[in-house]
Amino acid sequence: MTEVVHTPRVFSGIQPSGGLTLGNYLGAIKRFVDMQESGIETLYCMVDLHAITVWQDPADLRHNTRELAAGYIAAGLDPAKSILFNQSQVSAHAELGWIFNCVARMGWMKRMTQFKDKAGKNAENASLGLFGYPALMAADILIYHSTHVPVGEDQKQHLELTRDVATKFNHDFGVDFFPITEPVIEGAATRVMSLRDGSKKMSKSDPSDASRINMTDDAETIAKKIRKAKTDPDALPSEADGLKERPEARNLVNIFAALNDQSVDAVLTDVGGKQFSEFKPMLVDLAVEKLSSISTEMARLMNDPAEIDRILGEGSNRARAIANPILQKTYDIVGMIRS
Ligand code: TYM
């Protein structure tokens, strides 16, 4: 079998299942922008089919999809440079997702920690879609023969599964068709933690709004949440090692580093020895400076939903032009008649 070399292509997605958090921004969107500027072809999706694996009110889903698109654009994704679209407009995702449902194994899915977390104690009552979620995610990525996927740390297991699906498909059919995708989990903020509890991930589903910074928060709200963020009584250390047993301190330093495009070590060189009473106002200034222009621009874009829909329609056309030939070839490999 000759080895196929796949040209680099970046894909990633976010669920339009609620507001965007600082975790989504630092762990994902900000990295999407970096990759867009690297000159590689980039596709960024609003994964609405994934969102409905748990109940979504239809009007909210529509609003959240547009707001997510507005967040992408306000943060620096340019529809002329990146392909921006919502998943359900490109039916090849769902079609390849079905084929991958037949490639992936029940045992693989049962090991997925995100399913266990989301289904909770009542797994019998979770949707079948939630169980099969990672197979559709593999399809999102592989329908474009994507080679690189920027995500936060919580998606690592899903990306390993994507590699397993590609490997099994290639092996079962004796082809070298799907690439073995590289996760790109880099930077200072691959896992932004709750502002109220350094052992919990910052999440849109946390019942406490004070636990997260929302991308729609205004300057005053951002400042209030950072001032109230949990810390410890000690001064900041001068080296990253000193943050090991201090999850809340580490989280705030990571956020500072990611917002300021610095390494954690560089931040600590500047702020080592300072108390939180000094560091927090620095973080407030930085966060407000970097985030308030994004929320203002999001609000402006949301005034023209027709323009957002137009951008998503155009992105979907471009995405389909890449996905459809790969889907046809997949059907052919599997043995489906195309006449
Ligand atoms: P979702 O919608 O939960 O999160 C979107 C992205 O944000 C990252 N993220 C975080 N990063 C750092 N710290 C946090 N606290 C934090 N919270 C969220 C996530 O890691 C993710 O990168 N399954 C995906 C959506 C998806 C997808 C895909 C991603 C569907 N198909 C294909 C990549 C490729 C998800 O639930 O993301």
Side-chain angles (χ1 to χ4, degrees), residues 231-283:
T231 49
D232 57 43
D234 296 336
L236 284 160
S238 305
E239 281 171 16
D241 252 10
L243 292 171
K244 262 192 189 143
E245 307 296 324
R246 300 175 62 188
E248 283 87 15
R250 186 173 63 218
N251 189 38
L252 295 185
V253 172
N254 285 349
I255 291 173
F256 190 100
L259 281 172
N260 214 23
D261 291 310
Q262 275 183 301
S263 68
V264 167
D265 286 323
V267 173
L268 291 177
T269 305
D270 294 342
V271 304
K274 285 193 199 305
Q275 296 291 336
F276 280 102
S277 53
E278 248 185 295
F279 177 65
K280 277 187 171 178
M282 290 171 68
L283 181 57

Side-chain angles (χ1 to χ4, degrees), residues 11-17 21-29 32 47 50 87 114 118 133 136-138 140-141 149-155 158-159 189-194 201-204:
F11 178 92
S12 198
I14 297 184
Q15 299 188 70
S17 52
T21 70
L22 182 66
N24 296 134
Y25 175 61
L26 294 178
I29 301 180
F32 298 177
V47 289
H50 277 110
Q87 187 185 26
Q114 192 150 319
K118 278 201 172 179
Y133 180 116
L136 179 60
M137 180 161 160
D140 297 338
I141 295 165
V149 183
V151 283
E153 207 176 276
D154 60 352
Q155 295 303 309
H158 285 160
L159 292 186
T190 56
R191 190 170 175 81
V192 178
M193 308 308 280
S194 155
K201 192 181 71 167
M202 182 182 284
S203 159
K204 51 192 151 200

Side-chain angles (χ1 to χ4, degrees), residues 6 73 87 119 142 226 243 271 293 295 336:
H6 294 278
I73 297 166
Q87 187 185 26
L142 295 173
I226 293 176
L243 292 171
V271 304
S293 58
S295 66
M336 306 286 184

